[in-house]
Amino acid sequence: GNHYYVENVLEELDTAGEWFYDASAHKLYLQPNTTGIAPRTLVAPILNTLIRISDGAANITVDGFELTETRATFLDRYEVPSGGDWS
């Protein structure tokens, strides 16, 4: 069947891990995940990409540090690829 996603609606905040941000009040409402150990740090990522390597780049090494916490992009709109010879 069809799947629907609703984001950033305070009235729907009812499950662990969900959140609502009231931009006008600069207030974050969070329904915490209470299983296991409570987190000590709250991270609110805003970047889609941590490292972008452009055309023409060569001989690049990324080493010695950890990259974490990019923004979820699964609900972003993407261009539908051409069917090409398979359409």
Side-chain angles (χ1 to χ4, degrees):
N2 292 330
H3 297 280
Y4 297 93
Y5 296 93
V6 177
E7 284 191 314
N8 215 34
V9 177
L10 181 58
E11 293 78 15
E12 296 299 321
L13 188 64
D14 60 0
T15 303
E18 292 182 343
W19 56 272
F20 169 78
Y21 178 64
D22 184 341
S24 62
H26 302 286
K27 189 170 186 178
L28 176 67
Y29 298 85
L30 174 65
Q31 184 74 22
N33 183 347
T34 57
T35 60
I37 299 172
R40 296 181 180 178
T41 303
L42 176 64
V43 178
I46 58 172
L47 298 175
N48 293 344
T49 305
L50 295 174
I51 295 177
R52 178 166 297 164
I53 300 173
S54 300
D55 293 340
N59 302 320
I60 297 172
T61 300
V62 177
D63 188 26
F65 59 97
E66 182 178 350
L67 304 173
T68 65
E69 314 304 342
T70 57
R71 188 176 75 78
T73 60
F74 65 93
L75 291 177
D76 287 356
R77 292 180 185 244
Y78 293 96
E79 180 179 329
V80 176
S82 167
D85 293 337
W86 300 332
S87 60

